[in-house]
Amino acid sequence: MSKIEEFRSFIHEINVDAFILHTKDGYLNEYSEELTKLCGFTGTNGLLIVTKNNKCPFFTDGRYITQARNQLDQGNFQVYNIQEEDPREWVKANLTLTTSLSYYPQYFTVKEIRKYEDICKLVPCSIKKESSYRKQTIVTHAIEYSGEGSQNKCERVAKSIDKEAEVVLLTDPNSISWLLNLRNENAKYTPCILGRAILYKSSDVDLFVHDKEHSTIEANLDNHINIFDVSELENSLSKLNSIMIDPSTTPMSIMTVIQNKQVVEREDPCLIHKAVKNQIEITGAINAHIRDGVAVTNFLCWLENNIGNEVTELNAEEKLLEYRKEQDLFKQPSFPTISAFNENGAIIHYRASSQTNKAVQKDGLYLIDSGGQYLDGTTDVTRTVAIGNPTTEQIAHYTIVLKAHIAVASAVFPLGTTGGELDILARVHLWKFGIDYMHGTGHGVGSYLSVHEGPQAISKGNKVKLMPGMILSNEPGYYIPGKYGIRIENLMYVDKQENGFLNFKQLTSIPYDRRLIDTKMLTKDEIDWINNYHQFVYKNLENSVKDKGWLEKACSPL
């Protein structure tokens, strides 16, 4: 019996009509494996509605459409682009007010479940077996990297607690880790601690750690922090009268506990403070990106010199990790590396496996999207490089994407501008040719935390005002299924000019592939921008890369 058939049997057992699941777990972890076990999808954004009969609808965004169609059994699942088909509309069309839709309240937030409250009968289902989590190793994130003590952070954030509430309940592990200057060294990709926290107006904090008994706690906790096991959270909440929560991060299981209290709903007050990096964090990001640039540039040099020597997607990925491990303060990758050749590069969030591993040889385009977690910063970079002889079409498409990338990187904009308003600066270069890409142009990035950090983003509809100190990615792309993919990504931070306007300062220090650039398609300003960027790269890396001659060639003027 297949996994989906087993789950359908479970639905019959609990006597519900349908069951909704998604890729995140109870701590908002986007690398949960629960959905993978059920349907085979390995991406980080998917929502599945399991029905008793017929195909089960599966929703994901444009980054994963091709991947989902490749990984899911088309006999059991129907894949939808969530940007075109809203799951709520599907439920409205296929279920009724008397139809029962079950879900795990530990895994769905208040905001997510409210979407369906008025269109069907929602039935929470307790989890028989909690998701397996790695044992935690909780350590202090030193002030030499954080730039601000936890006590001071708590005092700042406590001022944002609504006057109608006694406390704020924090349920986002990234917010808690940032606020308390704590990290989980045994976490995969994102070093956040698993737990919940209650911040009082006095700036004292009760921290509730997942599986405290089996966690290794090496942190020197400040006096304002009291630590408990997460099993004690419910008892602590029961003693409160009024609580502020963020419905977009609070699980329904917690809402059930506090539903008879006075609940004030506001955005997580840590978000904007965490997004605006202080000068120590910016300096750390600059230094981390120089070391990361050395690693990736050494890799690109190795790749160019070893084509024909049995290079594959997987061993190239391993080689890049070797180079990163040579760098000071490196801890681990910041997300699963995307090492993709030719048609695999058209799968936006491709992950090489023994079944899909391609040899990187002959002619084509190789896309490598990777990042590192360093104690002083988080990196994320994508480079697309020519293998053998690129075609005229490939060069044209790469140059169009590069023009889009430069348009964002060189933008100057007034205070109050949102990331959503800048998104078009990139896309207009592709729209001229009737092409586009099905993902955002950029996302926020944490400081030795999540490589995908909100609330800021350069994407359609994002209304968060960009502020000095925010770190974002800039990654337009173009993908032709079955042929190749192109993406060019740098990280950058928002800076304030003397005239009061804002601009971006580049963090990533890695050359572009000059073989893929058609200078006839570029303006003089664009050529100048590339040459200035390559001077910046050369200056940062010249004394540290293994092959200075290769770097000189890669950074030579157009």
Side-chain angles (χ1 to χ4, degrees):
M1 184 183 291
S2 69
K3 291 291 183 182
I4 194 66
E5 289 171 340
E6 286 180 17
F7 202 87
R8 277 177 162 155
S9 296
F10 168 64
I11 290 176
H12 281 280
E13 283 177 26
I14 63 174
N15 194 29
V16 296
D17 298 299
F19 207 105
I20 188 168
L21 306 110
H22 62 178
T23 43
K24 288 185 172 61
D25 64 17
Y27 291 102
L28 308 175
N29 173 30
E30 61 182 9
Y31 300 109
S32 171
E33 297 179 352
E34 295 301 309
L35 214 60
T36 304
K37 295 173 184 175
L38 186 58
C39 65
F41 178 69
T42 59
T44 61
N45 184 20
L47 184 145
L48 173 66
I49 300 174
V50 182
T51 55
K52 285 183 175 179
N53 303 298
N54 305 320
K55 289 186 179 181
C56 302
F58 181 90
F59 303 85
T60 189
D61 63 66
R63 298 171 297 167
Y64 294 112
I65 289 296
T66 301
Q67 179 177 334
R69 287 173 179 157
N70 288 343
Q71 292 181 330
L72 273 64
D73 172 14
Q74 300 299 302
N76 283 315
F77 305 98
Q78 178 68 49
V79 176
Y80 294 99
N81 187 332
I82 203 166
Q83 291 147 318
E84 299 170 357
E85 181 82 16
D86 188 333
R88 186 181 188 280
E89 294 305 313
W90 188 94
V91 170
K92 187 185 291 187
N94 291 274
L95 303 181
T96 66
L97 283 170
T98 58
T99 306
S100 52
L101 176 65
S102 192
Y103 67 97
Y104 293 130
Q106 292 92 333
Y107 293 169
F108 279 84
T109 67
V110 174
K111 183 178 179 181
E112 289 167 336
I113 288 302
R114 279 183 180 158
K115 296 177 184 177
Y116 307 99
E117 283 182 337
D118 61 340
I119 53 178
C120 63
K121 180 183 176 183
L122 289 163
V123 181
C125 176
S126 60
I127 299 172
K128 294 179 180 177
K129 181 176 179 293
E130 185 71 37
S131 284
S132 57
Y133 294 100
R134 292 183 171 199
K135 292 178 182 178
Q136 301 193 76
T137 301
I138 299 174
V139 299
T140 302
H141 189 51
I143 198 165
E144 66 182 287
Y145 305 123
S146 67
E148 183 181 11
S150 172
Q151 177 76 60
N152 196 56
K153 288 182 178 180
C154 288
E155 289 172 0
R156 282 202 292 140
V157 175
K159 292 176 183 177
S160 302
I161 299 175
D162 191 273
K163 63 181 180 181
E164 299 296 326
E166 299 169 77
V167 302
V168 59
L169 171 64
L170 300 172
T171 47
D172 181 346
N174 285 285
S175 290
I176 297 167
S177 300
W178 170 84
L179 181 70
L180 305 183
N181 283 344
L182 299 175
R183 298 294 187 270
N184 174 14
E185 285 203 328
N186 201 35
K188 198 173 183 180
Y189 305 122
T190 304
C192 60
I193 59 174
L194 302 181
R196 316 293 186 194
I198 297 174
L199 173 64
Y200 296 83
K201 287 182 176 178
S202 65
S203 78
D204 287 341
V205 180
D206 289 342
L207 171 63
F208 301 85
V209 174
H210 180 86
D211 197 13
K212 178 174 178 279
E213 181 183 347
H214 295 102
S215 297
T216 301
I217 302 174
E218 299 174 354
N220 295 315
L221 296 176
D222 291 340
N223 292 333
H224 67 292
I225 302 172
N226 305 301
I227 188 167
F228 308 92
D229 188 88
V230 75
S231 61
E232 298 182 58
L233 175 63
E234 185 171 339
N235 182 51
S236 292
L237 292 173
S238 69
K239 298 173 183 177
L240 298 168
N241 295 311
S242 54
I243 303 167
M244 180 172 137
I245 68 162
D246 184 340
S248 67
T249 63
T250 302
M252 281 297 298
S253 55
I254 290 180
M255 188 63 176
T256 302
V257 172
I258 63 174
Q259 59 186 350
N260 294 324
K261 308 283 184 181
Q262 180 180 349
V263 177
V264 179
E265 298 185 5
R266 297 286 186 272
E267 182 180 74
D268 181 338
C270 293
L271 287 184
I272 201 70
H273 295 288
K274 176 162 58 72
V276 177
K277 310 303 186 274
N278 59 46
Q279 193 52 55
I280 295 293
E281 290 172 312
I282 291 296
T283 300
I286 291 169
N287 293 332
H289 279 83
I290 291 173
R291 296 193 303 277
D292 200 61
V294 171
V296 179
T297 300
N298 283 339
F299 165 76
L300 293 175
C301 175
W302 170 87
L303 179 68
E304 185 175 311
N305 292 328
N306 282 274
I307 294 303
N309 293 334
E310 299 183 351
V311 175
T312 68
E313 293 170 337
L314 283 175
N315 63 32
E317 178 181 332
E318 292 166 4
K319 191 67 179 180
L320 176 54
L321 181 57
E322 283 180 28
Y323 283 125
R324 278 202 168 101
K325 286 179 176 178
E326 294 175 357
Q327 304 304 313
D328 291 342
L329 305 184
F330 176 76
K331 303 299 287 185
Q332 65 171 330
S334 55
F335 59 95
T337 296
I338 300 167
S339 174
F341 186 53
N342 280 347
E343 63 266 32
N344 286 343
I347 302 170
I348 298 172
H349 272 215
Y350 170 75
R351 181 98 181 262
S353 67
S354 57
Q355 290 75 38
T356 63
N357 189 28
K358 290 179 70 67
V360 183
Q361 60 187 7
K362 299 181 180 177
D363 296 330
L365 295 182
Y366 174 69
L367 186 154
I368 180 81
D369 184 349
S370 67
Q373 290 286 10
Y374 298 81
L375 284 176
D376 53 351
T378 299
T379 71
D380 181 5
V381 57
T382 309
R383 287 295 180 263
T384 305
V385 298
I387 304 299
N389 298 308
T391 66
T392 302
E393 178 191 72
Q394 289 169 343
I395 291 171
H397 286 154
Y398 181 93
T399 306
I400 292 167
V401 173
L402 182 58
K403 287 169 74 73
H405 175 84
I406 294 170
V408 173
S410 59
V412 177
F413 46 96
L415 283 165
T417 301
T418 67
E421 290 169 335
L422 296 185
D423 183 82
I424 194 173
L425 295 180
R427 293 185 193 276
V428 69
H429 288 279
L430 283 84
W431 291 348
K432 289 176 184 177
F433 297 90
I435 59 178
D436 202 353
Y437 49 95
M438 292 192 295
H439 57 76
T441 300
H443 55 81
V445 178
S447 183
Y448 187 43
L449 270 177
S450 177
V451 75
H452 298 126
E453 177 181 272
Q456 77 279 18
I458 303 174
S459 61
K460 297 175 183 176
N462 186 281
K463 297 179 181 178
V464 176
K465 296 174 182 178
L466 298 180
M467 300 167 64
M470 288 181 168
I471 296 177
L472 300 107
S473 70
N474 170 18
E475 50 182 305
Y478 180 55
Y479 313 89
I480 305 177
K483 293 183 70 175
Y484 56 81
I486 296 166
R487 185 161 63 253
I488 303 171
E489 177 186 19
N490 281 6
L491 294 195
M492 55 197 186
Y493 66 92
V494 182
D495 193 31
K496 191 172 185 178
Q497 300 186 145
E498 289 184 5
N499 62 6
F501 274 61
L502 305 179
N503 66 342
F504 293 117
K505 291 288 184 68
Q506 299 304 299
L507 287 169
T508 302
S509 288
I510 299 162
Y512 306 116
D513 191 340
R514 297 172 77 262
R515 298 167 297 178
L516 288 168
I517 300 174
D518 182 354
T519 55
K520 295 188 292 295
M521 296 177 65
L522 300 175
T523 65
K524 181 181 182 302
D525 284 347
E526 288 167 338
I527 291 173
D528 289 344
W529 190 94
I530 295 168
N531 287 336
N532 288 334
Y533 175 74
H534 277 158
Q535 287 178 12
F536 161 81
V537 172
Y538 185 80
K539 181 180 177 182
N540 282 337
L541 308 186
E542 63 174 321
N543 296 321
S544 304
V545 294
K546 295 180 184 291
D547 189 337
K548 187 174 178 179
W550 188 91
L551 180 67
E552 287 178 351
K553 181 181 176 182
C555 293
S556 59
L558 292 175

